[in-house]
Amino acid sequence: MLLSPGHRFLFIHIAKTGGTSVRAALARRRWADPWYWPMFLCSRLSHLSGHRIGTKLPRHAKAIAAKELLPREVFEGLFKFAFVRNPWDLQVSSFHHIRRERPQYLGGHQDFASFLRWKLDPARPPQYHLDTSIELQSDYLIDLHGNLIVDFVGRYERLEPDFDEVCSRIGIAAPRLPHRRQANDRGADYRRYYDDATAELVARHFAADIKRLGYRFDGIDGAVSA
């Protein structure tokens, strides 16, 4: 999550949706925010009192966390945005990320299909690095009553034009969007990783995302529903 009180925006960073590139592009603007350095110092020094203050929200915190922690008028005055991704594509990306950077979390499953079945098995003991990618993306965007509480939901599939729209809404010139953490160990078409059974497994597990975010196995079906 990236908060800029000066530029009045809040970026909700859902893992594996291009968020690292978005954060990098907006970092310079954040450093120029007159509120950034006081917030940074308060966060670093607050431990001296024995308490941490909420000036730095967790990287992958949900929008509801900011709504609960920030004063109501501050939260409502922010332009809140996030990016989402086709759930079938996201699972392929997650598999390659874990295999490349944390192979000890594969659970002995070296191919995508067996790893996916094991990862989505409800009887499997939870593991942090796996369970962030089996959470619903829509849960990052809603309040406790299921209401959408962000102002704009961009898509990984059209990252650059949607990022330009974000910058226009913030009121800044769009900086170049760097390609951070770009994988080169997978094919471009996520669909070739699936058979009917594994595609249906993702469809069942992420049914709420598919419905709310307007995705289908082979693309985008519609807009994000409120």
Side-chain angles (χ1 to χ4, degrees), residues 152-223:
F152 181 82
V153 180
R155 297 189 186 274
Y156 176 85
E157 295 78 16
R158 51 179 189 236
L159 184 61
E160 291 190 4
D162 280 359
F163 178 68
D164 289 347
E165 173 65 18
V166 163
C167 293
S168 176
R169 299 277 291 272
I170 293 172
I172 63 173
R176 186 179 65 86
L177 194 62
H179 294 286
R180 295 294 180 91
R181 301 176 70 88
Q182 189 174 27
N184 55 13
D185 55 356
R186 54 162 288 186
D189 189 348
Y190 63 86
R191 292 171 295 183
R192 70 181 182 86
Y193 287 81
Y194 289 92
D195 56 24
D196 290 345
T198 51
E200 179 59 25
L201 184 62
V202 171
R204 290 198 305 269
H205 187 92
F206 298 99
D209 275 355
I210 292 163
K211 180 179 180 181
R212 172 158 241 158
L213 304 179
Y215 281 110
R216 59 178 186 264
F217 180 65
D218 58 353
I220 300 171
D221 195 35

Side-chain angles (χ1 to χ4, degrees), residues 117-129:
R117 287 191 292 267
W118 173 72
K119 184 172 84 165
L120 298 183
D121 183 352
R124 178 186 56 79
Q127 298 181 48
Y128 170 76
H129 294 294

Side-chain angles (χ1 to χ4, degrees), residues 3-9 33-36 78:
L3 170 64
S4 176
H7 294 293
R8 299 170 65 85
F9 72 77
D33 185 338
W35 285 97
Y36 174 75
L78 297 170

